Amino acid sequence: MALSEPEFAELQSRLHVQLDPGLLQLAVTHRSYAYENGGIPNNERLEFLGDSILGQAVTVMLYLRYPELDEGDLAKRRASLVSSVALAEVARSFGLGEFLLLGRGEMLTGGRDKASILADTVEAIIGATYLDAGGEVATELVMRLIQPLLDDPDRFGAAAMDSKTSLQEIAAARGAGAPVYTILEEGPDHDKRFVAIVAVGDLVTARGEGTSKKQAEMAAAFTAWTELTRS
């Protein structure tokens, strides 16, 4: 079922942008919903576009904001800000999950809070903003979305850059032993995704997703590290 006019208005209000309803609906249309509704267009092309705009905007911002950092440190900071973990955090901050158009299977398996889907949809919305309102407005949206991450360096600084090491250190400090990772694969060969589940003794169990095993493990480790530092 398509988004209603009140839903369009609410989502645009949360984003602080005015977008063409058709583009905004396309941006929140997951491929599972598209497949179940006769193969209508989905948000993957917008996601592709938005990923590029996001990366460029963050790269320029970091270059100008941190003149003292070398290329390696800039790359690490960029990776932490555009990761699926970070973008999913952004999406949850304004309740994006409630506006997603998902197929029945994804809805039944918690798709509205799945990090990969939320992150991809954020990128699609950025792409839609670029097409409808131009590069300047799209860049402003990117900066507005990631500002809370920049304001919280403990969460998206060193720990996010090397979350597996950070998790190992906090696990050792609490006498829990080394984190144990389990890797699962999802999806067809042409669209493979990996899920990592990490257990830190009896303290915490966390899940992460990614397009590679390493990315999934880093996402799981960061989620576990975040939970442990807050407990």
Side-chain angles (χ1 to χ4, degrees):
M1 185 175 182
L3 295 181
S4 65
E5 287 189 14
E7 287 174 323
F8 276 123
E10 179 61 25
L11 180 53
Q12 291 186 106
S13 174
R14 296 184 192 186
L15 291 168
H16 301 288
V17 292
Q18 295 295 314
L19 298 178
D20 173 76
L23 266 179
L24 185 55
Q25 174 150 314
L26 180 59
V28 299
T29 301
H30 187 256
R31 64 175 178 269
S32 61
Y33 179 90
Y35 175 78
E36 290 184 8
N37 287 271
I40 62 174
N42 61 52
N43 65 5
E44 291 179 349
R45 282 174 52 84
L46 284 177
E47 173 201 337
F48 172 79
L49 177 61
D51 175 69
S52 179
I53 296 161
L54 170 69
Q56 181 183 43
V58 171
T59 298
V60 172
M61 180 276 295
L62 290 173
Y63 181 87
L64 296 175
R65 183 166 177 168
Y66 300 102
E68 75 282 4
L69 296 181
D70 62 21
E71 178 187 6
D73 286 335
L74 287 171
K76 289 178 181 178
R77 286 179 181 266
R78 179 179 60 191
S80 72
L81 288 169
V82 302
S83 70
S84 61
V85 173
L87 294 180
E89 182 82 6
V90 166
R92 294 184 184 108
S93 72
F94 65 90
L96 178 58
E98 64 191 84
F99 300 98
L100 299 179
L101 296 178
L102 302 172
R104 178 176 295 275
E106 283 293 353
M107 286 194 292
L108 292 175
T109 56
R112 293 194 184 282
D113 193 52
K114 190 176 290 186
S116 59
I117 293 177
L118 289 171
D120 290 348
T121 307
V122 169
E123 291 178 339
I125 289 173
I126 293 169
T129 303
Y130 177 86
L131 290 178
D132 193 45
E136 183 176 344
V137 175
T139 298
E140 290 173 356
L141 174 63
V142 170
M143 293 300 101
R144 192 160 58 247
L145 291 175
I146 70 167
Q147 191 60 50
L149 311 184
L150 292 169
D151 292 340
D152 194 356
D154 289 339
R155 296 191 60 213
F156 289 90
M161 295 179 202
D162 190 1
S163 55
K164 291 183 69 175
T165 299
S166 298
L167 179 61
Q168 188 170 340
E169 289 173 351
I170 195 172
R174 299 195 181 187
V180 177
Y181 294 86
T182 302
I183 300 293
L184 306 173
E185 295 183 13
E186 295 182 345
D189 289 339
H190 69 276
D191 189 25
K192 187 74 69 179
R193 297 197 70 85
F194 296 88
V195 176
I197 299 172
V198 61
V200 183
D202 296 328
L203 298 180
V204 67
T205 299
R207 171 189 172 106
E209 303 174 26
T211 54
S212 68
K213 293 179 181 179
K214 180 179 179 181
Q215 188 181 78
E217 287 181 344
M218 294 288 282
F222 183 69
T223 300
W225 177 87
T226 300
E227 292 186 20
L228 287 175
T229 55
R230 289 177 169 179
S231 61

